[in-house]
Amino acid sequence: MKQAHTIRPRRLPLALAISLLYLASPASADDAAGPAITPAAAGAIQDVVVTGTRDTQRSATESLSPIDVISAKDLQRTGQTDLRDALVKLLPSVSRLAQTGDAANLTSALTLRGLSPNHVLLLVNGKRRHTSANITADPGSQQGATPVDIDLIPVSAVDHIEVLRDGAAAQYGSDAIAGVINIILKNSSSGGSVTLTSGEYYKHDGFTLGGAGDAGITLGEDGFLHLSAEYRRHEHSFRSGPDERTGTYANKTLGDPYIRRESFGANAGISVNKDVELYAFATVAHRAGGSYQNYRLPSRLPQVHPNGFTPVETSNETDGGITVGVRGTDLAGWRWDLSATYGTDNVKIGMTDSANTDLYAATGATPTSFHLSQFQNTQQGVNGDVARSFDTGALPAALSVALGAECRRETYEIGAGDPASYYGSGAQALPGLSPVSAGKHARNIGAAYADLSTKFAPQWEASLAGRYEHYSDAGSTRNAKLSTRYEITPKFAVRGTASTGFRAPSLAQEYYTSLAVSPTTAGGQLAVNSDAARKLGATPLRPEKSRSYNLGLVAEPIENLHLTLDAYRIDIRDRIVQGGTYSGAAAIAALTGAGISLPTGLSSVSASYFANGVNTRTQGLDLVLNYPTSLGSAGRIDWDASANINNSKVTKVGIDGNGKTLLNAQQVGYLTTATPKNKLIVGGAWTLEQWSVSLHATRYGKTATEATFYSGPNIYSTTVFNHIENKPKTTTDLEVRYAVSKKLQVAAGANNLFDVYPSKVPAASRYLGVYQYDTASAQIPFNGGYYYLRASYKF
């Protein structure tokens, strides 16, 4: 397995493709790839959106809530082969951690407005997408997250993405506290494209090879079937500092994991008659990955690993989702939509190049590869909607009414590892789960909702949404949202929303148990409803509750200059975080009581559980501006700028059943200072005949962490921390495109053109000297510059 991680894919296929492209006749860049519309410029064209409204389609600028529209071209021109990383490049309100720990490093999570990945709801064609079975277990701002893994949807399947930056739980249900990401799939019945991409970091690692294709097929007289496929391979990168135990760079834990991913998508629709349409869409993906763990010295087990060893945590993941439905335009005057959805994510966690030292001591032998655990979740649901407009005679516009109901069943299953993985202290780096931690859990959800919208005056529009939802394990909730927009002039409007929301605890947060072991420390995660957690003061999890407010304006102050500005506030009560952290004898007693064995010779042992530990308030400002300009014979430039100013604070910290404060200063910092206080993206795209150039600079504000001391008098303290700050940083992205013909285009680009790195962590807080960058920060990545080539062919 380890050898497979270091095999370098051949570069020949892309080189051949690019050479062949130049045999074709030249054409303009617009012919090959369309106008160079940049991210912020999306607002300049009248993008029709379906997110945030049930009554009718409208343009993004006419929406009552702030919505970003990202086209497939925008995604491609970031140079990223992952949806998550492309959105981080395009939207200042979207962030990601540079690296997470253990198995979570193999899952793609994003955040919106500095909140948790759990606070973002992801839809595909307007239908709720199932979440990942892989939970983020290690400490940090994303601990406890089981997000939808957006990277398991092929980029080649995406027509565009609508990002609703507003609370929408009253419209869409649980999780939509920070906002909603709605991925709209391609639906053409003809044509298609093939794209090849290759790149690597300036340090000549992290080599990436990707290929994607899509094609439309006609079904019957007016139906369509659009198929998509994608392949991506990304090799390890290494950014570790020298290991203080050896003085060498043998410890490879800081860096990108190895990833190999294959994904497929299909979207179809066909008319039954003039009023009724059948539709279906599906995705399926497989991902294999490996993430290096901390290096073990030769003295750990010289009989098996005489030169020491670096365990590799592996993931073998299969993910799929399908929706089938029927909709019509006239059921006694009502528009209607009935659909059924099924989704599942299955993750098998393993470890290679490891050992079980206790097993070797007892038997004289140990495997070096282990099956550690398996996690699977499923979501199945049925949804029905009806909508129509009524002429009341008393209002200047029709009253639009939308009603709906849905039911879902969610399951979460934990499978034990093989016996050798959990015997004694278990496999090095991450012991396997024993049968005592295994189990299958389920819950049922029912919901009913209603939306009303109308105009009280030609310039004044308002809507009201309400939703009732019942969880069999978390109780019932009622939420509402009021939205309004007033057009003062045709080029200036104000808008505002106020809403309540909620997020039910995930099944993983309720039942997950694990133990992570480093060379000198161990940290255990206890299921909150277990006897061991209750002894540490755990109480049953309750749903999170939120109140959100948004006040904005939409303006065109001068011809073609389009601007939106939105201020927001999000208050969350009973936020679910890792809390109740105990160390020393209490932690050891709780872990052993849960059937978890600990290795000997550890310097620090801790145990935690998830809790409704904190109330938070997040306030900020979003700005989007674009301005297309014509240069006559010199082409045109589409200028764009966007910014997010964001501040989170803790307003209350809870206490556990033993009277102990649930969060310490470090954990509070994860929630309030890990995300930049501001992020600014500015630049533009210049187009002239066959040529097009995109140039953008992104400035990230500072972040801060209350870091653990790994040396000195406060070593491993859980009350005294090392306050470190990551200085503001600016990265520059450049892409040059050339249209070889109407169908063929080649591009070359660089992300982080000037090879900028984050601030380094002080020596006292670098574990083993290796972690020289702050992995708790959601600022710039620590891999440095990345360059790439891309070839695209349309047919």
Side-chain angles (χ1 to χ4, degrees):
M1 181 73 175
K2 185 176 179 180
Q3 289 181 346
H5 295 164
T6 57
I7 292 176
R8 211 170 176 77
R10 302 288 185 184
R11 291 177 169 80
L12 183 59
L14 182 62
L16 280 175
I18 293 176
S19 298
L20 290 172
L21 295 183
Y22 278 97
L23 298 178
S25 59
S28 72
D30 288 355
D31 287 337
I37 302 298
T38 53
I45 58 177
Q46 293 299 301
D47 300 293
V48 174
V49 299
V50 296
T51 310
T53 178
R54 298 188 191 273
D55 61 338
T56 184
Q57 295 180 336
R58 66 181 72 226
S59 73
T61 55
E62 293 171 341
S63 172
L64 279 63
S65 299
I67 298 179
D68 298 304
V69 180
I70 305 299
S71 71
K73 294 184 182 69
D74 296 328
L75 296 170
Q76 186 182 72
R77 290 168 182 170
T78 64
Q80 302 293 330
T81 53
D82 292 331
L83 277 176
R84 175 188 65 172
D85 292 341
L87 290 178
V88 171
K89 288 285 184 183
L90 294 167
L91 301 175
S93 57
V94 175
S95 300
R96 59 156 294 187
L97 289 177
Q99 178 173 321
T100 49
D102 292 314
N105 205 28
L106 304 171
T107 297
S108 301
L110 59 78
T111 66
L112 190 62
R113 289 180 163 175
L115 296 175
S116 165
N118 287 332
H119 295 140
V120 182
L121 176 63
L122 193 134
L123 310 175
V124 177
N125 283 352
K127 308 297 184 181
R128 176 183 286 263
R129 175 83 172 181
H130 64 278
T131 61
S132 172
N134 193 12
I135 190 171
T136 302
D138 283 17
S141 60
Q142 296 184 8
Q143 190 167 29
T146 51
V148 174
D149 195 325
I150 194 172
D151 287 344
L152 295 178
I153 300 171
V155 179
S156 59
V158 177
D159 179 82
H160 67 279
I161 298 177
E162 300 174 4
V163 181
L164 172 64
R165 292 178 277 111
D166 195 16
Q171 296 164 294
Y172 297 106
S174 177
D175 306 342
I177 289 178
V180 177
I181 296 176
N182 190 7
I183 297 176
I184 309 299
L185 303 179
K186 294 177 179 177
N187 61 3
S188 62
S189 59
S190 62
S193 65
V194 177
T195 300
L196 296 174
T197 304
S198 179
E200 66 180 8
Y201 296 119
Y202 287 9
K203 289 186 177 293
H204 304 296
D205 58 9
F207 179 74
T208 301
L209 181 66
D214 71 278
I217 303 169
T218 300
L219 292 181
E221 294 184 359
D222 61 355
F224 71 92
L225 170 63
H226 205 101
L227 301 174
S228 307
E230 192 167 274
Y231 171 84
R232 181 180 186 264
R233 181 187 179 107
H234 178 72
E235 293 186 3
H236 292 286
S237 65
F238 309 108
R239 298 296 179 269
S240 299
D243 193 320
E244 62 189 19
R245 300 168 299 171
T246 64
T248 70
Y249 289 87
N251 197 328
K252 304 175 181 179
T253 185
L254 190 65
D256 288 351
Y258 163 85
I259 295 289
R260 191 192 76 245
R261 185 180 70 231
E262 307 90 23
S263 55
F264 306 89
N267 188 27
I270 188 168
S271 296
V272 176
N273 54 46
K274 65 182 181 68
D275 295 322
V276 179
E277 178 193 19
L278 296 175
Y279 65 92
F281 53 90
T283 64
V284 62
H286 173 262
R287 177 170 56 197
S291 182
Y292 283 119
Q293 306 300 297
N294 281 296
Y295 172 72
R296 267 59 178 177
L297 297 173
S299 57
R300 183 60 58 97
L301 196 60
Q303 302 91 333
V304 178
H305 296 290
N307 298 316
F309 59 102
T310 299
V312 179
E313 186 171 353
T314 64
S315 172
N316 192 326
E317 183 173 9
T318 302
D319 182 277
I322 182 170
T323 295
V324 295
V326 57
R327 57 192 168 211
T329 57
D330 189 7
L331 180 65
W334 293 79
R335 301 184 304 275
W336 57 276
D337 186 342
L338 180 65
S339 64
T341 297
Y342 176 82
T344 183
D345 186 53
N346 189 315
V347 185
K348 297 177 181 178
I349 304 297
M351 191 73 69
T352 63
D353 296 329
S354 185
N356 186 328
T357 55
D358 283 358
L359 182 61
Y360 185 88
T363 67
T366 176
T368 57
S369 297
F370 303 87
H371 169 63
L372 302 179
S373 56
Q374 183 171 350
F375 305 97
Q376 181 176 13
N377 69 356
T378 66
Q379 174 188 291
Q380 48 191 321
V382 177
N383 177 279
D385 299 299
V386 295
R388 68 174 297 176
S389 297
F390 295 91
D391 186 359
T392 66
L395 296 168
L399 172 67
S400 296
V401 178
L403 306 171
E406 70 177 21
C407 59
R408 296 196 312 275
R409 180 172 175 82
E410 298 175 349
T411 69
Y412 177 66
E413 186 172 2
I414 304 171
D418 59 56
S421 73
Y422 59 79
Y423 177 87
S425 59
Q428 286 287 302
L430 186 66
L433 291 183
S434 67
V436 71
S437 298
K440 185 172 183 178
H441 313 280
R443 66 183 177 192
N444 299 314
I445 303 107
Y449 43 89
D451 286 17
L452 304 173
S453 65
T454 190
K455 288 186 175 182
F456 294 110
Q459 303 87 5
W460 182 20
E461 182 178 4
S463 71
L464 176 66
R467 186 180 184 100
Y468 170 82
E469 199 143 7
H470 176 76
Y471 280 70
S472 59
D473 64 335
S476 302
T477 181
R478 297 171 179 83
N479 294 283
K481 181 175 182 177
L482 176 64
S483 308
T484 188
R485 181 181 187 273
Y486 190 86
E487 190 174 276
I488 298 172
T489 73
K491 294 189 175 183
F492 186 84
V494 293
R495 61 190 179 192
T497 66
S499 65
T500 61
F502 83 107
R503 192 192 77 82
S506 68
L507 291 172
Q509 287 177 323
E510 292 180 299
Y511 296 104
Y512 179 77
T513 299
S514 72
L515 178 72
V517 181
S518 73
T520 60
T521 67
Q525 185 73 36
L526 299 171
V528 66
N529 55 359
S530 66
D531 290 337
R534 281 193 285 267
K535 290 178 181 178
L536 298 183
T539 57
L541 293 177
R542 304 182 302 277
E544 302 177 357
K545 300 293 183 68
S546 69
R547 293 181 182 272
S548 299
Y549 309 92
N550 189 92
L551 181 62
L553 60 87
V554 180
E556 187 180 351
I558 61 175
E559 189 71 23
N560 293 327
L561 175 62
H562 298 268
L563 177 150
T564 65
L565 182 67
D566 290 274
Y568 59 87
R569 189 175 102 180
I570 307 168
D571 295 329
I572 304 178
R573 187 174 78 249
D574 294 330
R575 188 164 167 179
I576 299 173
V577 294
Q578 186 202 47
T581 301
Y582 287 74
S583 58
I588 294 171
L591 292 170
T592 55
I596 298 173
S597 298
L598 294 167
T600 59
L602 295 173
S603 302
S604 175
V605 176
S606 63
S608 304
Y609 51 83
F610 293 116
N612 296 100
V614 67
N615 296 352
T616 62
R617 172 169 292 174
T618 299
Q619 299 179 108
L621 195 69
D622 286 324
L623 170 69
V624 178
L625 184 149
N626 55 78
Y627 185 52
T629 58
S630 174
L631 304 179
S633 60
R636 75 168 186 269
I637 298 178
D638 294 307
W639 303 99
D640 64 88
S642 53
N644 171 253
I645 300 172
N646 192 76
N647 181 68
S648 291
K649 67 178 181 179
V650 168
T651 57
K652 179 183 177 182
V653 177
I655 57 174
D656 65 18
N658 297 329
K660 179 182 175 182
T661 301
L662 282 167
L663 272 70
N664 59 29
Q666 183 180 71
Q667 294 165 314
V668 169
Y670 291 150
L671 303 178
T672 58
T673 59
T675 302
K677 298 294 185 185
N678 51 76
K679 181 181 173 185
L680 171 67
I681 304 173
V682 62
W686 168 76
T687 302
L688 176 64
E689 297 179 347
Q690 299 101 305
W691 292 95
S692 184
V693 179
S694 296
L695 179 65
H696 287 85
T698 303
R699 183 192 184 275
Y700 296 81
K702 76 173 183 179
T703 64
T705 298
E706 302 301 315
T708 301
F709 282 101
Y710 294 113
S711 63
N714 295 311
I715 186 171
Y716 298 119
S717 173
T718 58
T719 57
V720 180
F721 300 99
N722 189 7
H723 179 79
I724 63 174
E725 294 188 354
N726 301 289
K727 296 179 180 179
K729 298 286 182 176
T730 300
T731 62
T732 304
D733 300 328
L734 172 69
E735 181 177 282
V736 179
R737 297 175 291 277
Y738 180 75
V740 182
S741 73
K742 292 183 178 180
K743 296 183 177 181
L744 309 174
Q745 185 191 79
V746 292
N751 291 327
N752 194 357
L753 179 66
F754 300 112
D755 202 26
V756 179
Y757 283 82
S759 303
K760 288 194 173 183
V761 171
S765 292
R766 292 187 195 178
Y767 180 65
L768 302 178
V770 171
Y771 290 83
Q772 58 180 337
Y773 300 114
D774 183 7
T775 57
S777 172
Q779 205 200 45
I780 68 170
F782 49 65
N783 282 303
Y786 174 86
Y787 58 88
Y788 61 90
L789 299 173
R790 185 179 67 248
S792 301
Y793 174 78
K794 286 192 170 186
F795 57 88

